[in-house]
Coordinates of all heavy atoms in Angstrom, one line a residue:
M1 N 14.8 -63.0 -132.0 CA 15.1 -62.5 -130.7 C 16.3 -61.6 -130.7 O 17.3 -61.9 -131.3 CB 15.3 -63.6 -129.7 CG 15.5 -63.2 -128.3 SD 15.6 -64.6 -127.2 CE 15.8 -63.7 -125.7
K2 N 16.2 -60.4 -130.1 CA 17.3 -59.4 -130.1 C 18.0 -59.4 -128.7 O 17.4 -59.6 -127.7 CB 16.8 -58.0 -130.4 CG 16.1 -57.9 -131.8 CD 17.1 -57.2 -132.7 CE 16.4 -56.9 -134.0 NZ 16.6 -57.8 -135.1
C3 N 19.3 -59.1 -128.8 CA 20.1 -59.0 -127.5 C 19.7 -57.8 -126.7 O 19.5 -56.7 -127.3 CB 21.6 -58.9 -127.9 SG 22.6 -58.6 -126.5
A4 N 19.5 -58.0 -125.4 CA 19.1 -56.9 -124.6 C 20.2 -55.9 -124.4 O 20.0 -54.7 -124.2 CB 18.6 -57.4 -123.2
A5 N 21.4 -56.3 -124.5 CA 22.6 -55.5 -124.3 C 23.0 -54.6 -125.5 O 23.2 -53.4 -125.4 CB 23.8 -56.3 -123.9
C6 N 23.0 -55.3 -126.7 CA 23.5 -54.5 -127.9 C 22.5 -54.6 -129.1 O 22.8 -54.1 -130.1 CB 24.8 -55.0 -128.3 SG 24.8 -56.7 -129.0
H7 N 21.4 -55.2 -128.9 CA 20.3 -55.3 -129.9 C 20.7 -56.0 -131.2 O 20.1 -55.8 -132.3 CB 19.8 -53.9 -130.3 CG 19.3 -53.1 -129.0 ND1 18.2 -53.5 -128.3 CD2 19.9 -52.1 -128.4 CE1 18.1 -52.7 -127.3 NE2 19.1 -51.8 -127.3
S8 N 21.7 -56.9 -131.1 CA 22.1 -57.7 -132.3 C 21.2 -58.9 -132.3 O 20.5 -59.2 -131.3 CB 23.5 -58.1 -132.2 OG 24.4 -57.0 -132.3
E9 N 21.2 -59.6 -133.4 CA 20.4 -60.8 -133.5 C 21.0 -61.9 -132.6 O 22.2 -62.1 -132.6 CB 20.3 -61.3 -134.9 CG 19.1 -62.1 -135.3 CD 17.7 -61.5 -134.9 OE1 17.5 -60.3 -135.2 OE2 16.9 -62.2 -134.3
M10 N 20.2 -62.7 -132.0 CA 20.7 -63.8 -131.2 C 20.4 -65.1 -131.9 O 19.4 -65.3 -132.6 CB 20.0 -63.8 -129.8 CG 20.2 -62.5 -129.0 SD 19.7 -62.6 -127.3 CE 21.2 -63.2 -126.5
V11 N 21.3 -66.1 -131.7 CA 21.1 -67.4 -132.3 C 20.9 -68.4 -131.2 O 21.4 -68.3 -130.1 CB 22.4 -67.8 -133.1 CG1 22.5 -67.0 -134.4 CG2 23.6 -67.7 -132.3
K12 N 20.1 -69.4 -131.6 CA 19.7 -70.5 -130.6 C 20.9 -71.5 -130.6 O 21.4 -71.9 -131.6 CB 18.5 -71.2 -131.0 CG 17.2 -70.5 -130.7 CD 16.0 -71.4 -130.8 CE 14.7 -70.7 -130.7 NZ 14.5 -70.0 -129.4
K13 N 21.3 -71.9 -129.4 CA 22.4 -72.8 -129.2 C 22.0 -73.8 -128.2 O 21.0 -73.6 -127.4 CB 23.6 -72.1 -128.8 CG 24.2 -71.2 -129.8 CD 25.7 -70.9 -129.5 CE 26.4 -70.3 -130.7 NZ 27.8 -70.1 -130.5
K14 N 22.7 -74.9 -128.1 CA 22.5 -75.9 -127.1 C 23.9 -76.3 -126.6 O 24.8 -76.5 -127.4 CB 21.8 -77.1 -127.6 CG 21.4 -78.0 -126.5 CD 20.4 -79.1 -127.0 CE 20.0 -80.0 -125.8 NZ 18.7 -80.5 -125.8
G15 N 24.0 -76.3 -125.3 CA 25.3 -76.7 -124.7 C 25.4 -76.4 -123.2 O 24.4 -76.7 -122.5
E16 N 26.5 -75.8 -122.8 CA 26.8 -75.7 -121.4 C 26.8 -74.2 -121.0 O 27.5 -73.4 -121.7 CB 28.2 -76.3 -121.2 CG 28.5 -76.8 -119.9 CD 29.8 -77.6 -119.8 OE1 30.9 -77.0 -119.8 OE2 29.8 -78.9 -119.9
I17 N 26.2 -73.9 -120.0 CA 26.3 -72.5 -119.5 C 26.5 -72.5 -118.0 O 26.3 -73.5 -117.3 CB 25.0 -71.7 -119.8 CG1 23.8 -72.3 -119.2 CG2 24.8 -71.5 -121.3 CD1 22.7 -71.3 -119.0
E18 N 27.0 -71.4 -117.5 CA 27.1 -71.2 -116.1 C 26.0 -70.3 -115.6 O 25.6 -69.3 -116.2 CB 28.5 -70.5 -115.7 CG 29.7 -71.1 -116.4 CD 30.0 -70.6 -117.7 OE1 29.9 -69.4 -117.9 OE2 30.2 -71.4 -118.6
L19 N 25.6 -70.6 -114.4 CA 24.5 -69.8 -113.7 C 25.0 -69.5 -112.4 O 25.5 -70.3 -111.7 CB 23.3 -70.6 -113.6 CG 22.2 -70.8 -114.7 CD1 21.1 -71.6 -114.1 CD2 21.8 -69.4 -115.2
R20 N 24.9 -68.2 -112.0 CA 25.3 -67.8 -110.6 C 24.0 -67.4 -109.9 O 23.4 -66.4 -110.2 CB 26.3 -66.7 -110.6 CG 27.0 -66.5 -109.3 CD 28.0 -65.4 -109.4 NE 29.2 -65.9 -110.0 CZ 30.2 -66.5 -109.3 NH1 30.1 -66.7 -108.0 NH2 31.3 -66.9 -109.9
I21 N 23.6 -68.2 -108.9 CA 22.4 -68.0 -108.2 C 22.7 -68.0 -106.7 O 23.2 -69.0 -106.2 CB 21.3 -69.0 -108.5 CG1 20.9 -69.0 -110.0 CG2 20.0 -68.8 -107.7 CD1 20.2 -70.2 -110.5
G22 N 22.3 -66.9 -106.1 CA 22.6 -66.8 -104.6 C 24.0 -67.0 -104.3 O 24.3 -67.6 -103.3
G23 N 24.9 -66.5 -105.1 CA 26.3 -66.6 -104.8 C 27.0 -67.9 -105.1 O 28.2 -68.1 -105.0
K24 N 26.2 -68.9 -105.6 CA 26.7 -70.2 -105.9 C 26.7 -70.4 -107.4 O 25.8 -69.9 -108.1 CB 25.8 -71.3 -105.3 CG 26.4 -72.6 -105.1 CD 25.5 -73.5 -104.3 CE 25.8 -75.0 -104.6 NZ 26.8 -75.5 -103.8
L25 N 27.8 -71.0 -107.9 CA 27.9 -71.2 -109.3 C 27.4 -72.6 -109.7 O 27.8 -73.6 -109.1 CB 29.4 -71.0 -109.7 CG 29.7 -71.0 -111.2 CD1 29.1 -69.7 -111.9 CD2 31.2 -71.0 -111.4
Y26 N 26.6 -72.6 -110.7 CA 26.0 -73.8 -111.2 C 26.4 -74.0 -112.7 O 26.4 -73.0 -113.4 CB 24.5 -73.9 -111.1 CG 24.0 -73.8 -109.7 CD1 23.7 -72.6 -109.2 CD2 23.7 -74.9 -109.0 CE1 23.2 -72.5 -107.9 CE2 23.2 -74.9 -107.7 CZ 23.0 -73.6 -107.1 OH 22.5 -73.5 -105.9
L27 N 26.8 -75.2 -113.0 CA 27.1 -75.5 -114.4 C 25.9 -76.3 -115.0 O 25.5 -77.3 -114.4 CB 28.4 -76.3 -114.5 CG 28.9 -76.6 -115.9 CD1 29.4 -75.3 -116.5 CD2 30.0 -77.6 -115.8
V28 N 25.3 -75.8 -116.1 CA 24.2 -76.5 -116.6 C 24.6 -77.1 -118.0 O 25.1 -76.4 -118.9 CB 23.0 -75.5 -116.9 CG1 21.7 -76.3 -117.3 CG2 22.7 -74.7 -115.6
R29 N 24.4 -78.4 -118.1 CA 24.7 -79.1 -119.3 C 23.5 -79.4 -120.2 O 22.4 -79.5 -119.7 CB 25.4 -80.4 -119.0 CG 26.8 -80.1 -118.4 CD 27.6 -81.4 -118.3 NE 29.0 -81.0 -118.0 CZ 29.7 -81.6 -117.0 NH1 29.2 -82.6 -116.3 NH2 30.9 -81.2 -116.7
N30 N 23.7 -79.5 -121.5 CA 22.7 -79.8 -122.4 C 21.4 -78.9 -122.3 O 20.3 -79.4 -122.3 CB 22.2 -81.3 -122.2 CG 23.4 -82.2 -122.4 OD1 24.2 -82.1 -123.3 ND2 23.5 -83.1 -121.4
V31 N 21.7 -77.6 -122.2 CA 20.6 -76.7 -122.1 C 20.5 -75.8 -123.4 O 21.5 -75.6 -124.0 CB 20.8 -75.8 -120.8 CG1 22.0 -74.8 -121.0 CG2 19.5 -75.1 -120.5
S32 N 19.3 -75.5 -123.7 CA 19.0 -74.6 -124.9 C 19.1 -73.2 -124.4 O 18.4 -72.8 -123.4 CB 17.7 -74.9 -125.5 OG 17.7 -76.2 -126.0
Y33 N 19.8 -72.4 -125.1 CA 19.8 -70.9 -124.8 C 20.0 -70.1 -126.1 O 20.3 -70.7 -127.1 CB 21.0 -70.7 -123.8 CG 22.3 -71.1 -124.3 CD1 23.1 -70.1 -125.0 CD2 22.8 -72.3 -124.1 CE1 24.4 -70.5 -125.4 CE2 24.1 -72.7 -124.5 CZ 24.9 -71.8 -125.2 OH 26.1 -72.1 -125.7
A34 N 19.9 -68.8 -125.9 CA 20.2 -67.9 -127.1 C 21.4 -67.2 -126.8 O 21.7 -66.7 -125.7 CB 19.0 -67.0 -127.3
E35 N 22.3 -67.1 -127.8 CA 23.5 -66.3 -127.6 C 23.7 -65.2 -128.7 O 23.3 -65.4 -129.8 CB 24.7 -67.3 -127.8 CG 26.1 -66.6 -127.4 CD 27.2 -67.6 -127.5 OE1 27.6 -67.9 -128.6 OE2 27.7 -68.1 -126.5
C36 N 24.1 -64.1 -128.2 CA 24.3 -62.9 -129.1 C 25.6 -63.1 -129.9 O 26.7 -63.4 -129.3 CB 24.4 -61.7 -128.3 SG 24.8 -60.2 -129.3
C37 N 25.5 -63.0 -131.2 CA 26.7 -63.2 -132.1 C 27.7 -62.1 -131.9 O 28.9 -62.2 -132.1 CB 26.3 -63.2 -133.6 SG 24.8 -64.0 -133.9
S38 N 27.2 -60.9 -131.4 CA 28.0 -59.7 -131.3 C 28.7 -59.6 -130.0 O 29.9 -59.5 -130.0 CB 27.1 -58.5 -131.6 OG 27.9 -57.4 -131.5
C39 N 28.0 -59.7 -128.9 CA 28.7 -59.5 -127.6 C 28.8 -60.7 -126.7 O 29.3 -60.7 -125.7 CB 28.0 -58.3 -126.8 SG 26.4 -58.8 -126.1
G40 N 28.2 -61.8 -127.2 CA 28.3 -63.0 -126.4 C 27.3 -63.2 -125.3 O 27.4 -64.1 -124.5
E41 N 26.4 -62.2 -125.1 CA 25.4 -62.3 -124.1 C 24.6 -63.6 -124.3 O 24.2 -63.9 -125.4 CB 24.5 -61.1 -124.2 CG 23.3 -61.0 -123.3 CD 23.7 -60.5 -121.9 OE1 24.8 -60.1 -121.7 OE2 22.7 -60.3 -121.1
R42 N 24.3 -64.3 -123.2 CA 23.5 -65.5 -123.3 C 22.2 -65.4 -122.4 O 22.3 -64.9 -121.3 CB 24.3 -66.7 -122.7 CG 25.5 -67.1 -123.6 CD 26.4 -68.0 -122.8 NE 27.3 -68.6 -123.7 CZ 28.2 -69.6 -123.3 NH1 28.1 -70.0 -122.1 NH2 29.0 -70.1 -124.2
V43 N 21.2 -65.8 -123.0 CA 19.9 -65.8 -122.2 C 19.2 -67.1 -122.3 O 19.2 -67.8 -123.3 CB 19.0 -64.6 -122.7 CG1 19.5 -63.3 -122.3 CG2 18.7 -64.7 -124.2
L44 N 18.5 -67.4 -121.3 CA 17.7 -68.6 -121.2 C 16.2 -68.2 -121.4 O 15.8 -67.1 -121.0 CB 17.8 -69.3 -119.8 CG 19.2 -69.8 -119.5 CD1 19.3 -70.1 -118.0 CD2 19.5 -71.0 -120.3
S45 N 15.4 -69.0 -121.9 CA 14.0 -68.7 -122.1 C 13.4 -68.8 -120.7 O 13.9 -69.5 -119.8 CB 13.3 -69.7 -123.0 OG 13.2 -71.0 -122.3
P46 N 12.3 -68.0 -120.4 CA 11.7 -68.0 -119.1 C 11.3 -69.5 -118.6 O 11.5 -69.8 -117.5 CB 10.4 -67.2 -119.3 CG 10.7 -66.4 -120.5 CD 11.6 -67.1 -121.3
E47 N 10.9 -70.3 -119.6 CA 10.5 -71.7 -119.2 C 11.7 -72.5 -118.7 O 11.7 -73.2 -117.7 CB 9.9 -72.4 -120.4 CG 8.6 -71.9 -121.0 CD 8.8 -70.6 -121.8 OE1 9.9 -70.5 -122.5 OE2 7.9 -69.7 -121.8
V48 N 12.8 -72.3 -119.5 CA 14.1 -73.0 -119.1 C 14.6 -72.5 -117.7 O 15.0 -73.3 -116.9 CB 15.1 -72.9 -120.2 CG1 16.4 -73.5 -119.7 CG2 14.7 -73.7 -121.4
S49 N 14.6 -71.2 -117.5 CA 15.0 -70.6 -116.3 C 14.2 -71.2 -115.1 O 14.7 -71.6 -114.1 CB 14.9 -69.1 -116.2 OG 15.4 -68.5 -117.4
Q50 N 12.9 -71.2 -115.3 CA 12.0 -71.7 -114.3 C 12.3 -73.1 -113.9 O 12.4 -73.5 -112.8 CB 10.5 -71.5 -114.7 CG 9.5 -71.7 -113.6 CD 9.7 -70.8 -112.5 OE1 9.8 -69.5 -112.6 NE2 9.9 -71.3 -111.3
M51 N 12.5 -73.9 -115.0 CA 12.8 -75.3 -114.8 C 14.1 -75.5 -114.0 O 14.1 -76.3 -113.1 CB 12.9 -76.0 -116.2 CG 13.1 -77.4 -116.3 SD 14.9 -77.8 -116.3 CE 15.3 -77.3 -118.0
L52 N 15.1 -74.7 -114.3 CA 16.4 -74.8 -113.7 C 16.3 -74.4 -112.2 O 16.8 -75.0 -111.3 CB 17.4 -74.0 -114.4 CG 17.8 -74.5 -115.8 CD1 18.7 -73.5 -116.5 CD2 18.5 -75.9 -115.7
Y53 N 15.5 -73.3 -112.0 CA 15.3 -72.8 -110.6 C 14.6 -73.8 -109.8 O 15.0 -74.1 -108.6 CB 14.5 -71.5 -110.6 CG 15.4 -70.3 -110.8 CD1 15.5 -69.7 -112.1 CD2 16.1 -69.7 -109.7 CE1 16.3 -68.6 -112.3 CE2 16.9 -68.5 -109.9 CZ 17.0 -68.0 -111.2 OH 17.8 -66.9 -111.4
N54 N 13.6 -74.5 -110.4 CA 12.9 -75.6 -109.7 C 13.9 -76.7 -109.3 O 13.8 -77.2 -108.2 CB 11.8 -76.1 -110.5 CG 10.6 -75.1 -110.5 OD1 10.5 -74.3 -109.6 ND2 9.8 -75.2 -111.5
K55 N 14.7 -77.1 -110.2 CA 15.6 -78.2 -110.0 C 16.6 -77.8 -108.9 O 16.9 -78.6 -108.0 CB 16.5 -78.4 -111.3 CG 15.8 -79.4 -112.3 CD 16.7 -79.6 -113.4 CE 16.1 -80.4 -114.6 NZ 15.8 -81.8 -114.3
I56 N 17.1 -76.6 -108.9 CA 18.0 -76.1 -107.8 C 17.2 -76.1 -106.5 O 17.8 -76.6 -105.5 CB 18.6 -74.7 -108.2 CG1 19.6 -74.9 -109.3 CG2 19.2 -74.1 -106.9 CD1 20.0 -73.6 -110.0
K57 N 16.0 -75.6 -106.5 CA 15.2 -75.6 -105.2 C 15.0 -77.0 -104.7 O 15.1 -77.2 -103.5 CB 13.9 -74.9 -105.5 CG 13.2 -74.3 -104.3 CD 12.0 -73.5 -104.7 CE 10.9 -74.5 -105.2 NZ 9.7 -73.8 -105.7
N58 N 14.8 -77.9 -105.6 CA 14.6 -79.3 -105.1 C 15.8 -80.1 -105.1 O 15.8 -81.3 -104.9 CB 13.6 -80.0 -106.1 CG 12.2 -79.3 -106.1 OD1 11.7 -78.8 -105.1 ND2 11.7 -79.2 -107.3
K59 N 17.0 -79.4 -105.2 CA 18.3 -80.1 -105.2 C 18.4 -81.2 -106.2 O 19.0 -82.3 -105.9 CB 18.6 -80.6 -103.8 CG 18.8 -79.4 -102.8 CD 19.6 -79.9 -101.6 CE 20.0 -78.8 -100.6 NZ 19.6 -77.4 -100.7
E60 N 17.8 -81.0 -107.4 CA 17.9 -82.1 -108.4 C 19.1 -81.8 -109.3 O 19.1 -81.5 -110.4 CB 16.6 -82.0 -109.3 CG 15.4 -82.6 -108.6 CD 14.2 -82.4 -109.5 OE1 14.3 -82.4 -110.7 OE2 13.1 -82.1 -108.9
Y61 N 20.3 -82.0 -108.6 CA 21.5 -81.8 -109.3 C 22.5 -82.7 -108.7 O 22.4 -83.2 -107.5 CB 22.0 -80.4 -109.4 CG 22.0 -79.7 -108.0 CD1 23.1 -79.9 -107.2 CD2 21.1 -78.8 -107.7 CE1 23.2 -79.3 -105.9 CE2 21.1 -78.2 -106.4 CZ 22.2 -78.4 -105.6 OH 22.2 -77.8 -104.3
T62 N 23.6 -83.0 -109.4 CA 24.7 -83.7 -108.8 C 25.8 -82.8 -108.5 O 26.1 -81.8 -109.2 CB 25.2 -84.8 -109.8 OG1 25.6 -84.1 -111.0 CG2 24.2 -85.8 -110.0
E63 N 26.5 -83.0 -107.4 CA 27.6 -82.2 -107.0 C 28.9 -82.7 -107.6 O 29.2 -83.9 -107.4 CB 27.8 -82.2 -105.4 CG 26.6 -81.6 -104.7 CD 26.8 -80.2 -104.2 OE1 28.0 -79.7 -104.4 OE2 25.9 -79.7 -103.5
Q64 N 29.5 -81.9 -108.4 CA 30.8 -82.4 -109.0 C 31.8 -81.3 -108.7 O 31.6 -80.1 -108.7 CB 30.7 -82.5 -110.5 CG 29.9 -83.8 -110.9 CD 29.8 -83.9 -112.4 OE1 30.7 -83.4 -113.2 NE2 28.8 -84.6 -112.9
T65 N 33.0 -81.8 -108.5 CA 34.1 -80.8 -108.2 C 34.8 -80.6 -109.6 O 35.3 -81.5 -110.2 CB 35.1 -81.4 -107.2 OG1 34.4 -81.8 -106.1 CG2 36.2 -80.4 -106.9
I66 N 34.8 -79.3 -109.9 CA 35.5 -79.0 -111.2 C 36.6 -78.0 -110.9 O 36.6 -77.2 -109.9 CB 34.6 -78.4 -112.3 CG1 33.8 -77.2 -111.7 CG2 33.6 -79.5 -112.8 CD1 33.1 -76.4 -112.8
T67 N 37.6 -78.0 -111.7 CA 38.7 -77.0 -111.5 C 38.5 -75.8 -112.3 O 38.3 -75.9 -113.5 CB 40.0 -77.7 -111.9 OG1 40.1 -79.0 -111.3 CG2 41.2 -76.9 -111.5
V68 N 38.4 -74.7 -111.7 CA 38.2 -73.4 -112.3 C 39.4 -72.5 -112.2 O 39.9 -72.3 -111.1 CB 37.0 -72.7 -111.7 CG1 36.6 -71.4 -112.5 CG2 35.8 -73.6 -111.7
P69 N 39.9 -72.0 -113.4 CA 41.0 -71.1 -113.3 C 40.6 -69.8 -112.6 O 39.6 -69.2 -112.9 CB 41.4 -70.8 -114.7 CG 40.7 -71.9 -115.5 CD 39.5 -72.3 -114.7
V70 N 41.3 -69.4 -111.6 CA 41.0 -68.2 -110.8 C 42.1 -67.2 -111.0 O 43.3 -67.5 -110.9 CB 40.8 -68.5 -109.3 CG1 40.5 -67.3 -108.5 CG2 39.8 -69.6 -109.1
L71 N 41.7 -65.9 -111.4 CA 42.7 -64.9 -111.6 C 42.5 -63.8 -110.6 O 41.4 -63.5 -110.1 CB 42.5 -64.3 -113.0 CG 42.9 -65.1 -114.2 CD1 41.8 -66.0 -114.7 CD2 43.4 -64.3 -115.3
D72 N 43.6 -63.2 -110.2 CA 43.6 -62.1 -109.2 C 43.6 -60.8 -110.1 O 44.6 -60.7 -110.8 CB 44.8 -62.2 -108.3 CG 44.7 -61.2 -107.2 OD1 44.0 -60.2 -107.3 OD2 45.4 -61.4 -106.1
G73 N 42.6 -60.0 -109.9 CA 42.6 -58.8 -110.8 C 43.3 -57.6 -110.2 O 43.3 -56.5 -110.7
T74 N 44.0 -57.8 -109.0 CA 44.7 -56.7 -108.4 C 45.9 -56.2 -109.3 O 46.6 -57.1 -109.8 CB 45.3 -57.2 -107.1 OG1 44.3 -57.8 -106.3 CG2 45.9 -56.0 -106.3
Y75 N 45.9 -55.0 -109.5 CA 47.0 -54.4 -110.4 C 47.7 -53.3 -109.7 O 47.1 -52.4 -109.1 CB 46.4 -53.9 -111.7 CG 47.3 -53.3 -112.7 CD1 48.2 -54.1 -113.4 CD2 47.5 -51.9 -112.7 CE1 49.1 -53.6 -114.3 CE2 48.4 -51.4 -113.6 CZ 49.2 -52.2 -114.4 OH 50.1 -51.6 -115.2
G76 N 49.0 -53.4 -109.8 CA 49.8 -52.3 -109.2 C 50.0 -52.4 -107.7 O 49.6 -53.3 -107.0
Ligands
ZN101 ZN1 24.7 -58.5 -127.7

């Protein structure tokens, strides 16, 4: 599988990724995805994406409060 952004080879990984759907940020654990060695682009297979969308639609997730570092990009 090739990266859509830079056409480098992608490697299969399993771990944690962030998903932003409808302005809400979701953290997905223990998920299989492909990551580009070159630019870091991450993609989910259509099957996995569908499964995650279904889970979100059916609210099959737990709400956890996590601390996220927030930076202000204003300069000057
Ligand atoms: Zn890439």
Side-chain angles (χ1 to χ4, degrees):
M1 181 174 183
K2 299 256 191 261
C3 174
C6 71
H7 306 292
S8 294
E9 203 57 45
M10 301 190 89
V11 287
K12 280 193 189 303
K13 291 199 169 187
K14 189 167 178 149
E16 206 170 80
I17 61 157
E18 306 89 46
L19 276 183
R20 194 177 280 274
I21 299 165
K24 200 170 154 86
L25 186 68
Y26 298 88
L27 186 68
V28 188
R29 289 190 171 132
N30 304 314
V31 69
S32 297
Y33 60 90
E35 188 177 76
C36 175
C37 323
S38 181
C39 74
E41 176 85 357
R42 290 166 167 188
V43 289
L44 296 167
S45 71
E47 296 78 31
V48 172
S49 310
Q50 191 57 53
M51 180 269 288
L52 293 173
Y53 276 96
N54 285 339
K55 276 183 188 286
I56 288 166
K57 204 173 68 188
N58 299 321
K59 295 201 173 359
E60 286 174 36
Y61 52 78
T62 53
E63 299 255 2
Q64 284 182 26
T65 306
I66 54 167
T67 309
V68 183
V70 178
L71 289 89
D72 187 341
T74 310
Y75 178 78

